[in-house]
Amino acid sequence: MKKQLLLLLSFVVSGMFAPVYLYAGEKKGNAPHYGISVAVKTNLYSLTEYATVMPNLEAGLFFSDRWSISVSGLYSHFEGCYGTGRFWGVSAYTLQPRFWFYGDGLFQGPFAGVYGRIGDFDIRRRYNGDLKRSTDKTGHYWETGISAGWSFAFCQNWLLELSASCGYLHATVMPYEPNPAGEFYQTARYGKSRFDLTGISISLGYRFKVK
């Protein structure tokens, strides 16, 4: 995770010296202006983070030159590869308002925000298909915190967004084990909380004007 965060920061720093591409919007003085716009994005990092498909989609509304709010959903419910019996089931639903520092109506460059997220999980980790060495857990969680990042525009309406979030996460965890018949039963229930780096996003999106 530390290496990934350093990679993200290097992209952001390099973006500070990269040419700025402008959206094709209305003029506000001498600068293009987008007014109220909508973006649809997907986090490419979530698609590959756990070596399984994690489909996700985000929709954002941009307004008042320096504000935006987005909602996103992620859902993964797929078996692991190579007959290992591994399984990664995760859902996440996020609400995130943001403040854009430039305030020029272009919604490019640096931003910061707060977020709230809820979801659930079902994770089975098997070792070469050996049920006796499995570590299976299910449960639900919520988290809240802050986020920051940088948005780049290219080809007019397309955008690439790099961001990271950190905050407080609380999960209700319910470990379970299989019996010889292949059925699962719960063995415990406990809460787990921590402050942590909660997410990295490398999102590709398309933004268009609505007003």
Side-chain angles (χ1 to χ4, degrees):
M1 183 65 76
K2 291 182 179 180
K3 292 182 179 180
Q4 295 157 343
L5 182 57
L6 289 173
L7 177 63
L8 175 65
L9 291 175
S10 68
F11 276 120
V12 172
V13 172
S14 64
M16 296 174 64
F17 304 98
V20 177
Y21 296 91
L22 301 178
Y23 290 103
E26 293 180 351
K27 290 286 185 178
K28 184 180 180 182
N30 295 321
H33 178 63
Y34 229 119
I36 298 177
S37 58
V38 171
V40 179
K41 298 178 284 185
T42 186
N43 183 0
L44 302 178
Y45 184 80
S46 289
L47 292 175
T48 59
E49 184 175 1
Y50 297 108
T52 186
V53 178
M54 297 183 68
N56 66 94
L57 190 65
E58 178 180 346
L61 177 67
F62 301 78
F63 56 94
S64 299
D65 292 344
R66 62 169 70 246
W67 295 97
S68 68
I69 186 168
S70 66
V71 293
S72 63
L74 176 150
Y75 185 76
S76 174
H77 196 269
F78 298 98
E79 298 287 345
C81 302
Y82 312 116
T84 60
R86 297 177 182 176
F87 177 78
W88 191 274
V90 175
S91 68
Y93 308 97
T94 307
L95 176 66
Q96 182 172 198
R98 288 176 174 173
F99 176 83
W100 296 78
F101 289 96
Y102 287 166
D104 55 8
L106 297 177
F107 301 101
Q108 300 179 48
F111 61 83
V114 295
Y115 78 95
R117 180 179 296 132
I118 60 173
D120 53 24
F121 56 91
D122 185 0
I123 301 170
R124 304 175 200 163
R125 292 188 174 96
R126 304 285 169 77
Y127 302 89
N128 298 322
D130 186 355
L131 294 179
K132 294 181 179 179
R133 298 181 61 200
S134 65
T135 54
D136 303 338
K137 298 177 181 178
T138 187
H140 50 85
Y141 68 93
W142 63 268
E143 59 183 82
T144 185
I146 59 175
S147 63
W150 196 284
S151 182
F152 306 83
F154 63 97
C155 297
Q156 293 189 339
N157 291 60
W158 290 93
L159 59 92
L160 177 66
E161 185 178 287
L162 310 174
S163 65
S165 59
C166 61
Y168 178 80
L169 184 150
H170 176 80
T172 299
V173 184
M174 294 170 282
Y176 61 93
E177 295 180 358
N179 60 25
E183 300 172 331
F184 298 98
Y185 60 94
Q186 183 179 328
T187 60
R189 181 187 178 98
Y190 58 90
K192 187 174 183 180
S193 302
R194 70 177 188 271
F195 287 94
D196 204 349
L197 177 67
T198 54
I200 290 179
S201 175
I202 304 175
S203 294
L204 179 66
Y206 185 85
R207 188 156 71 91
F208 54 92
K209 181 180 177 181
V210 295
K211 185 177 179 181

